[in-house]
Every structure is written in C-alpha cells, then in structure tokens.
Amino acid sequence: MSTVVDGVGKAIGRADDRAPISSLLKDNLRKVFPDHWSFMLGEIALYSFIILLLTGVYLTIWYQPSMQEVVYHGSYQPLVGIPMSEAYNSALHISFDVRGGLLIRQIHHWAALFFMAAMVVHMFRIFFTGAFRKPREFNWVIGGSMILIGLLEGFAGYSLPDDLLSGVGVRIVAGIIESIPVVGTYLLFFLFGGQYPGHDFIPRLYTFHVLLVPGILLASVGLHLVLIFYHKHTQYPGPGRTNDNVVGFPLFPVYTAKAGGFFFIVFGVTVLMAAFVTINPIWAYGPYVPDQVTAGSQPDWYIGFVDGALRAFPNWESENFLGHTWSWNILIPCVLMPGILVALLLSYPFLEAWITGDTREHHLLDRPRNAATRTALGAMAITFYGILVINGANDIVAQAFNLSINQLTWFTRIGVFVFPPLVFIATRRFCLGLQRRDRDLLMHGRESGQILRLPHGEFIEIHTPISDDEKAVILAKRDIAPIEAPPATDENGIATPGLRAKKWRAKLSNAYFGENVKRPTLAEIEAAEHHHHDEVAHEIDVLHEAGAPIPSELTD
Amino acid sequence: MSNDHKTDIATTGIVEGDIVEFPLPPHHHRLTDTDPRAARRAERQVSTMFILSGLCIIAFIAAYIAIPETSYLNLGPAGTIQTSNFMLGLTFGLATLLIGIAAIHWAKKLMSDEEIVDYRHPVGSPQEDRDAAKAAFDAGVAESGFVERKMVRRTLLGALALFPLPLIVLLKDMGPLPGDSLRHTIWRKGSRIVIDVTGQPLRPEDMQVGSLVSASPADLKAIQEADGDQNARAKASIILVRMKPSDIVSEQGEGWSWNGILAFSKICTHVGCPIALYQQRTHHLLCPCHQSTFDLADSGKVVFGPAARAMPQLPITVDSEGFLVAQSDFQQPVGPSFWERA
C-alpha cells in the first residue's frame, strides 16, 4: 500500500476516535448509483453552483456595491472621464485592470446561465420520467423553489454592474413593483430607499445576492442531496432493475472518479467558454443613466418568459377603478402569470397523485410514453413557456427574420393560447401510439421487412421476437385503472360526503388514464407466442410440402 | 417471476399487472480487463492527461506573469479579444478539463465496470418507531400541560404571534413614504429647456422639422449634484420633436406646443424605459423595451403595444430671450402607473 493510502487510513482512524466516521463510511462508501446520461443534468447544476460560489468570492474582492458617482480613470480609453457609479467603475476595474478579472467575471456569468439552464432541463427529466412521485415530492418542491430563487439571484447578479443594460432591467422591475395593488408604491420606496433610482438599491441588492440568497440556495442544495442519498437514486426500467433494487456502480471508487471528473469537465468547459466567448460586455453599454437606453435590450434568458409576456400582453389598465389604478397590463403577465406557473409547478406531484389515486412508492422511472397525459401536459407547458421566451426577444427575432414586430406580437398573443393545446393533443396521441407499438412488439415481435411468398401465393412478413432486454423495459409498465365516481348515496341511503369533489376526481382520473393502452398480460403474450409458433410451423409445413427451401429466418 | 412489494398500495384504482423480472444481462469484459497491454495503455493515457494538466497550470502562471492586461489579440472575423483573458482561460480551462477527462477515462477503462445491486427498503420508519415517537411526543405534551392549561397555551400563542412585529416595524425606515413625490418633477413655470448632452439652451430655430432632441431642465445638473442621486433626471427627462404644425392632429392641452415643437416625457408610461426611437414620417415613438408605440402628432396616444396611457405632454413656450421654456410642471404623473395615481 502506498504511503498516501496508509496516511488516509491512519487519519480516519484518529478522527474516528472523535466522531463515528467509520460507521458512516461503512454504509455509504459503496453506495450504488445507477448510470444514465440524463442523471448528469442535476450534476451540471450542482457543479455550476460550486463554480458560482468560487468565482463569486473572487469578484467580491474588487467589486464596490456603491451608487456614489465617480469619474472613470481606468485603462479602458473610451470611458475615461465619464461619470459613473462606483459599482460600474469597479466592474470595469475587474474587467480591465485586474489580471484574470475579466475571465472570472465571464466564468461567473456563464456559470449562472448554465446553472439556470441545467436546473430547468433537470426538472424536465424529473417531470417526464415521473421521478417526482412518492417518496420524492418534497425534493421536487425544493428543486422547483431553487429554480425560482435562482432566477431572482441571477437577476440580482446581472443588475449589480450597474451598466446601461442592467440598469434598464432594474427600471422595469421598479415599474412592475409599482403596479402591485395596495402596497406597490410603498414597496418601491422601501426597496429603493425612496424614489427610483435612489442610492440604496445596489448595496441592498448586493447583500441579497452574496449573503441571503446563496445561504438559502446552499441549504436547499444540501437538503436536496441528503434526500437523494436517503431515497437512493431512481433508475430506468431494464433487465435486473426493479422497484426494490438499485443497479449500478459504487460511489467509491467509480462515482468518485466519474462525478468528480465531471465537475472538472463542467468547470473546464465553463472556463473555455469564458476564455473564447465574450458575455455581457458591460463596457460596450456604458454606465446607467436613467434617461438612456440601448436598443435591442434583452434580459438573461431565464427572465425572458416574463419579459415576453410583458411585451405581448394587451394594454389593459383601469385608470380609475374603485378610486385606484389597476395596471392589468403589468400585473397579469409579471405577477399573476409567474405566480400561477410556480404554484402549478410546485403542486404538480400532489395534483397528479390525487388524480391517479396512486400512493405507492416509485423508484423505477416511467417511460414518458407510458404517462401520456403527463408527458402531454409537460410538452404543453414547455410550448407556452417557449413562445413567451421567444417573444421576450421579439425585436431581435423581427430583425433577424425581417418580420413585422406588430405581427409577431399578435402571433404571440394568439399563439400562446392556440399552440399549447395543439401540442398537448399531438403529444398525447404520439405517446398512445408508442404504447400501442410497444404492445405490438410484445405480442407479435418486430417486423423484419422480409416478405416471404408461400407456394400457394400468400405473402407473409416474417416477425422476429424482441430481445429479453427490450421485453424487460416494456413489461415494466404498470397500468393504473381510473378512479370511479362513488354512488350518490350508500346502501343505507346516506349521501356520500364530498360527492362533488369525488365526481370531479373521477372525471379527471378518467381523462388522465382513459385512453391508455393496456400492457398485455402474460397470458396474452403467451397466447400470441403460441399463435406465432403455430403460424411458423404451418408455414414450414407448407414450404416443406412444396419441396421449397426453408429460409433460416423461420427456423431460428 | 415474483410479486412486486406491496407495502404501500392504495386501495383504489391500482391494477397490478403480472410482474416479470428479467435477470441482469451477463457481464461482458472490456479489452482492458482481459489484455494487460490494453490496461497499461489506458494507464499511460490517463497519466499523460494528468501531466498535460500540470503543464497547463505552469503555462497559466507564465501567462499571468508575462501578458499585460492591455494587450489585445486580433482573431480576424471572430473579433478582438483580451490576450490575457484568452491565454489564462485557455490554459486554466484545459488544465481543468484534462483532469476531468482523465478521471472519467480511468473510471471507464480501469475501475471495475461490473454492475452491483443494492436493495431498497421502505422509505418510512418502521411502525414500532412511529409508535415510539408518538408515545414520546404524547408524554411530552402531557408533562407540559399544553392541552389542559388553556390560559398558558393561548397567551403563549398570542405572545408568539406578536413577537415578529418588531422585525417588520424595523423595516419602516428602509425608505421614506411616497407622499406626492411621484406626482411632481423639477419642471417649473419658466424652466429653460436645455439639450441633454451639451447643456445648451434651445431656441425654436435650433430645431428642424422632423428632428428629435433629448432634453432636460436647465437646473437639473445643480439639483442632481445637491441631491447626490439621479432621481430628478429619472422623471424630468423629455424629448422635443418638431413637426409641421399642420401635421398635429391633437394635443393634450391647448397652446402647449410652440410652432410645431412638442415636448413629451421620455419615460414610458408602461414600465418606465426611456424612449427615443422616433419615426419622423409617422410621428411614432417606439419603446425599445416592450415596443409600446405612441403617436406624438395625436396627443402622444398609444397606437400599439402594452402601454395603456399616452406619453405625458409638457406645456412649453418661448421666454422673452427667445429660448424654449416650460409653461409649468407636467399636468399628470410621468412614468409607470401606480396604485394611488387615480
């Protein structure tokens, strides 16, 4: 044994006298994790978060969270002599006068975009495979909340340099806050320390960005991981994989190397992006001045759906309704719509469990096709979201494709209601079709494409049975029957309590499962196999009688 | 074939199909498992990547020392890039990436790739633990007297309900109350209108038909310096446009323009972006943020987009020295709507 390994062993021994490390290691060092590329999406989010913490600390060394006006004297010539906030001045200093400062800034910004994107795509994976089902509902809520918190954190960080682009973003948020009924104006004055823009907002945002939110995120990440560890990872169906086991590789050494190595890969790719691809060139925008604006202003992508909704929403406002001004044109797209979206997102596992009546523990993942309605709902939500994101860049899209911005806005206004239901229907039919195909594969095997002409002139296509690996995947499907509505009264004539809710639940359950294609029972599969055997035997007989050669596909 | 475990099955709705379990497929050995030479080759590959990573770190330090911040690299059509950013990122990124690739290559080629099976246990605590926990809790509740001693319980809840109030009250001084500050700007009767960039006062003849000028009140700079913030500017900025008087369809007040020169707030009535995209032929003003479009020839009314209200017009005239001045402050609050605006 090498001295390094010996040393580690001795250190653990000494530490164990003080805390029961060995007991912890004994249970967990060889903990099994399953392998699949889609399980790495959450890892990308985790690693991006670590990169954000690391680079963020560097940025705090030089960044000055102050709106005090100073005159720039740094080495970026075009801005020399221009008055600006200390915040913007220090962001320029980091970019041009701290060696490697620009690199750290760009790593931080790229990592923030990756963090948000990885979380969102990870959520899609969890959603479409049903990984949020019991016992993991709480982890879904934690994860969903992290996306929301990450969005606020990203916006705060984006605003800190106090450049012209991000300053306009803050101006828009101030306008949104003003639209909130009853408390909006007061909220604005409290947050900004008076009228917009004041001189308190950047320092306050800084504390929010580097202390409060990272603390909450760190605690959430910790809890998220502890629960993953405790529940053991879900796995995809396949041979040897059941709801009661987990098949894969041990944490030590395989995942220590793979997941540890993947951290370095994510970090390395982020650094190379920061080296080669400029992001948020704040020096090109100039300092924030409240009466200037850049054309083609875009928020970071994760804010896009709110901005897209704000751009598309019709100009409804009640200038004086009950003695007050109601800005529906801002309130609905920027407060109500995201609020409803987040509420639906966080409550989805509970809604689905209520509709399906399924209270079992699930550790084996669903194939998206087998949960046709869920998959269709997800595709519908993504369509809705996607249209809004694109509309958040409608000026850029209009310019790039030479379209009228007015027509594009109208397209969004109508499309955001028309396309999601269409996508829902199409996705659901698509999933049901795949379910039917799975059933056919089990019952009749795969069409080989080889056509055989029998001596009496009949044409048959040879079907080859699917492999056991494929069968294992398809047979993992569990059918759930829709819930039936209870009778209005029981046998003693007493009205069923909560009848209306139960009827609704039955209706939703029927809509959810109604058209699902039943997985064939083993008896049905056996019968089909017998039939197939008989058919083949018959074909061989016919060929034999005619004295024709027997193709090997039939005898295999 | 075996039964699915049925520890936690709902009484409604579940149809348990026949469960079929297929065994794990047989394990196939890799080349590195069977051929020692292949294994040694993989070992060399991993080590080479670790060595290259170390070399990249040395190159990083060399680049840090050697390349000044002010040096730029021309990458042709890809643009110009800070040399130090490029070199530091390249060396550090490669060093990091190589460690990652090497570790994964090691895991894939040399560590055991035989899948192992771990068994799950029901996630919840066993029933006896639940019972014991409940018993412990009940004992605690009984000993505390929380249930019987109603007065203690109610006063405790009351005290705890009030307790957070100071934390909220203390936030009061985060900012002043709005008062009527959103209703006024620093424009006064006779405030001179100056060009925003140069601070030069404007005469009507300085503006041609079709032109647009960003402007502000002459005393803005002094007020801004006295206040130490940009609050005054955020509300007082205006745009001046000049059109043929015959093109003006309507105005927000009679006599508010001067020979075809109109002044409007620059702050969008939607969510407050400054606007200066002007199409002189149609007299349309377009907000670059959310594309609200206003017709300045027709009282600044909204012709497209999410904004609900017309851009507020500033009444202007010319003073005795021939300079453009404001007749008064804006007659309505500028910028986005707010609850108390009505």
Side-chain angles (χ1 to χ4, degrees):
Chain A
M1 262 212 183
S2 83
T3 45
V4 175
V5 175
D6 276 349
V8 170
K10 271 183 200 158
I12 290 174
R14 272 190 223 109
D16 199 85
D17 297 340
R18 278 116 189 138
I21 290 180
S22 297
S23 307
L24 209 70
L25 292 179
K26 161 185 81 87
D27 291 338
N28 294 312
L29 267 186
R30 299 288 282 180
K31 195 177 178 69
V32 173
F33 283 88
D35 228 12
H36 194 271
W37 66 264
S38 70
F39 300 162
M40 304 200 305
L41 295 165
E43 279 183 64
I44 298 178
L46 173 66
Y47 301 149
S48 301
F49 181 62
I50 296 171
I51 297 166
L52 284 166
L53 290 180
L54 287 174
T55 49
V57 170
Y58 276 87
L59 294 176
T60 61
I61 295 172
W62 296 284
Y63 176 73
Q64 301 289 338
S66 159
M67 295 169 90
Q68 193 67 45
E69 195 175 270
V70 293
V71 175
Y72 183 69
H73 291 298
S75 54
Y76 184 63
Q77 291 307 318
L79 291 178
V80 168
I82 289 185
M84 56 183 60
S85 70
E86 253 192 294
Y88 184 66
N89 184 53
S90 67
L92 289 175
H93 177 72
I94 291 171
S95 306
F96 293 105
D97 295 293
V98 175
R99 262 182 291 180
L102 179 62
L103 185 68
I104 297 285
R105 239 198 77 221
Q106 301 206 121
I107 296 173
H108 196 73
H109 204 125
W110 275 120
L113 297 191
F114 291 157
F115 177 56
M116 289 304 295
M119 279 201 292
V120 169
V121 182
H122 171 59
M123 178 184 70
F124 292 163
R125 199 280 290 172
I126 299 290
F127 182 84
F128 287 117
T129 60
F132 55 80
R133 290 171 299 172
K134 189 179 174 186
R136 297 182 175 77
E137 304 96 323
F138 188 47
N139 235 9
W140 168 267
V141 173
I142 297 174
S145 313
M146 279 200 279
I147 295 179
L148 182 69
I149 298 167
L151 192 146
L152 297 175
E153 176 72 342
F155 176 78
Y158 167 86
S159 303
L160 284 178
D162 201 24
D163 55 278
L164 187 54
L165 185 60
S166 72
V168 172
V170 173
R171 168 73 258 201
I172 292 168
V173 167
I176 293 169
I177 293 172
E178 274 182 274
S179 79
I180 299 172
V182 187
V183 294
T185 315
Y186 287 84
L187 214 54
L188 177 84
F189 273 67
F190 287 154
L191 286 177
F192 285 81
Q195 294 192 57
Y196 178 86
H199 27 50
D200 292 333
F201 190 64
I202 291 275
R204 288 177 183 177
L205 201 63
Y206 182 65
T207 313
F208 179 83
H209 181 74
V210 305
L211 179 74
L212 188 61
V213 180
I216 295 171
L217 277 177
L218 201 57
S220 307
V221 168
L223 199 55
H224 203 67
L225 292 178
V226 164
L227 282 172
I228 290 169
F229 227 75
Y230 181 70
H231 288 142
K232 297 198 171 93
H233 208 287
T234 51
Q235 60 189 352
Y236 284 98
R241 285 142 171 87
T242 71
N243 204 35
D244 299 322
N245 71 8
V246 50
V247 182
F249 302 105
L251 177 63
F252 186 75
V254 175
Y255 274 105
T256 315
K258 274 190 169 178
F262 192 48
F263 165 73
F264 284 94
I265 287 185
V266 172
F267 199 176
V269 169
T270 312
V271 173
L272 291 178
M273 289 288 285
F276 300 147
V277 190
T278 299
I279 186 164
N280 199 20
I282 49 163
W283 54 89
Y285 307 140
Y288 178 61
V289 185
D291 56 2
Q292 283 178 24
V293 69
T294 54
S297 337
Q298 302 296 307
D300 272 353
W301 75 267
Y302 45 85
I303 307 284
F305 79 106
V306 180
D307 202 42
L310 186 59
R311 289 174 188 214
F313 206 83
N315 64 340
W316 302 342
E317 179 184 281
S318 307
E319 235 188 299
N320 189 345
F321 176 60
L322 305 175
H324 289 283
T325 301
W326 302 72
S327 305
W328 310 112
N329 53 346
I330 305 165
L331 210 52
I332 295 175
C334 292
V335 183
L336 211 59
M337 186 276 290
I340 292 172
L341 223 54
V342 168
L344 280 177
L345 179 88
L346 296 185
S347 59
Y348 186 79
F350 310 101
L351 289 176
E352 193 190 280
W354 183 71
I355 290 171
T356 59
D358 185 355
T359 56
R360 297 172 299 174
E361 275 186 20
H362 291 280
H363 304 290
L364 209 52
L365 294 171
D366 267 337
R367 300 171 81 206
R369 68 185 63 174
N370 289 339
T373 305
R374 178 203 299 147
T375 305
L377 284 173
M380 181 167 92
I382 291 175
T383 309
F384 177 81
Y385 179 88
I387 291 173
L388 292 183
V389 170
I390 293 170
N391 198 62
N394 61 357
D395 47 341
I396 307 287
V397 174
Q399 208 170 20
F401 296 102
N402 212 6
L403 299 166
S404 145
I405 198 147
N406 304 28
Q407 284 163 9
L408 205 60
T409 305
W410 272 107
F411 177 82
T412 302
R413 285 173 177 177
I414 298 166
V416 84
F417 292 105
V418 170
F419 288 108
L422 289 180
V423 168
F424 175 86
I425 294 167
T427 310
R428 197 153 178 280
R429 297 322 307 182
F430 193 64
C431 288
L432 293 173
L434 285 170
Q435 284 185 18
R436 220 163 277 131
R437 180 187 138 83
D438 280 349
R439 189 185 159 91
D440 284 350
L441 280 175
L442 272 182
M443 302 278 280
H444 311 299
R446 182 170 279 115
E447 292 168 356
S448 67
Q450 280 175 298
I451 308 291
L452 201 63
R453 186 180 164 204
L454 298 178
H456 57 275
E458 182 189 351
F459 286 92
I460 58 159
E461 183 178 9
I462 297 172
H463 281 68
T464 47
I466 55 173
S467 71
D468 275 3
D469 289 6
E470 288 170 286
K471 274 187 195 162
V473 171
I474 299 174
L475 281 171
K477 183 184 178 210
R478 297 280 173 278
D479 290 317
I480 301 180
I483 294 169
E484 281 172 29
T489 55
D490 65 7
E491 59 269 22
N492 300 324
I494 295 168
T496 311
L499 183 69
R500 188 174 290 183
K502 283 177 181 159
K503 275 190 168 166
W504 261 105
R505 187 184 182 196
K507 258 185 208 163
L508 285 171
S509 186
N510 266 293
Y512 191 90
F513 291 120
E515 289 170 87
N516 254 14
V517 179
K518 290 270 173 301
R519 200 208 80 184
T521 61
L522 291 182
E524 284 176 301
I525 298 170
E526 243 160 67
E529 265 170 19
H530 274 300
H531 178 72
H532 179 69
H533 276 297
D534 292 348
E535 239 176 28
V536 170
H538 172 71
E539 282 148 17
I540 290 175
D541 278 351
V542 172
L543 289 167
H544 196 73
E545 267 169 41
I550 317 279
S552 60
E553 287 83 4
L554 279 183
T555 52
D556 279 349
Chain B
M1 281 178 210
S2 75
N3 275 335
D4 205 3
H5 86 116
K6 295 189 189 316
T7 46
D8 205 356
I9 290 171
T11 47
T12 53
I14 310 296
V15 176
E16 285 293 321
D18 323 285
I19 310 290
V20 202
E21 278 180 15
F22 291 83
L24 266 181
H27 179 68
H28 297 289
H29 285 297
R30 298 162 298 191
L31 190 60
T32 45
D33 292 325
T34 53
D35 182 359
R37 278 187 310 166
R40 271 201 301 281
R41 192 162 58 236
E43 192 184 349
R44 277 199 303 275
Q45 286 164 347
V46 172
S47 299
T48 308
M49 284 189 264
F50 282 139
I51 291 168
L52 284 177
S53 169
L55 291 176
C56 283
I57 293 295
I58 293 168
F60 174 90
I61 292 167
Y64 186 87
I65 294 167
I67 301 171
E69 273 295 293
T70 44
S71 150
Y72 290 87
L73 201 63
N74 193 342
L75 297 180
T80 305
I81 201 163
Q82 215 181 39
T83 315
S84 90
N85 184 72
F86 182 81
M87 287 308 295
L88 295 179
L90 180 70
T91 50
F92 184 50
L94 280 180
T96 318
L97 200 58
L98 281 165
I99 290 178
I101 295 171
I104 289 172
H105 195 57
W106 180 5
K108 287 198 140 186
K109 293 285 172 182
L110 296 170
M111 292 181 190
S112 166
D113 75 331
E114 215 152 336
E115 288 187 311
I116 53 179
V117 180
D118 204 355
Y119 289 92
R120 297 178 189 275
H121 312 286
V123 167
S125 329
Q127 191 57 45
E128 60 261 36
D129 283 12
R130 294 187 188 202
D131 295 341
K134 184 169 186 319
F137 180 74
D138 290 346
V141 170
E143 284 171 25
S144 71
F146 190 76
V147 178
E148 300 89 71
R149 299 187 195 282
K150 277 186 196 156
M151 197 163 71
V152 173
R153 184 175 74 228
R154 286 174 187 167
T155 46
L156 167 74
L157 294 179
L160 287 181
L162 292 177
F163 177 74
L165 279 181
L167 303 179
I168 298 166
V169 170
L170 283 174
L171 296 177
K172 156 70 188 56
D173 273 352
M174 280 179 77
L177 297 182
D180 64 349
S181 57
L182 288 180
R183 298 180 185 277
H184 305 297
T185 72
I186 57 170
W187 286 105
R188 294 283 169 273
K189 182 174 194 293
S191 294
R192 272 211 183 141
I193 299 170
V194 299
I195 300 174
D196 198 41
V197 185
T198 59
Q200 292 293 316
L202 267 169
R203 292 173 193 277
E205 50 273 29
D206 295 338
M207 290 193 69
Q208 292 174 334
V209 168
S211 68
L212 174 142
V213 172
S214 275
S216 49
D219 50 356
L220 176 66
K221 274 227 161 72
I223 291 172
Q224 203 168 307
E225 259 159 43
D227 291 352
D229 57 38
Q230 309 218 47
N231 296 358
R233 174 179 292 271
K235 287 192 299 183
S237 281
I238 58 163
I239 47 165
L240 286 176
V241 288
R242 183 162 200 171
M243 53 187 84
K244 282 189 223 135
S246 57
D247 282 353
I248 299 176
V249 179
S250 73
E251 289 185 58
Q252 292 176 11
E254 208 170 316
W256 282 16
S257 63
W258 181 265
N259 285 344
I261 300 178
L262 299 139
F264 286 94
S265 167
K266 198 180 177 183
I267 311 301
C268 186
T269 59
H270 181 221
V271 283
C273 290
I275 313 184
L277 290 176
Y278 180 60
Q279 199 170 25
Q280 54 151 298
R281 196 174 48 80
T282 56
H283 316 299
H284 284 179
L285 188 69
L286 175 84
C287 178
C289 290
H290 306 103
Q291 290 90 40
S292 296
T293 312
F294 304 86
D295 188 350
L296 297 190
D298 193 0
S299 304
K301 72 169 190 197
V302 181
V303 290
F304 186 77
R309 286 181 294 101
M311 289 302 264
Q313 191 180 349
L314 182 73
I316 55 167
T317 184
V318 166
D319 66 9
S320 53
E321 293 169 56
F323 289 111
L324 286 167
V325 293
Q327 291 182 28
S328 68
D329 193 1
F330 284 98
Q331 299 294 304
Q332 54 168 314
V334 299
S337 295
F338 50 96
W339 179 247
E340 297 84 356
R341 189 179 183 280

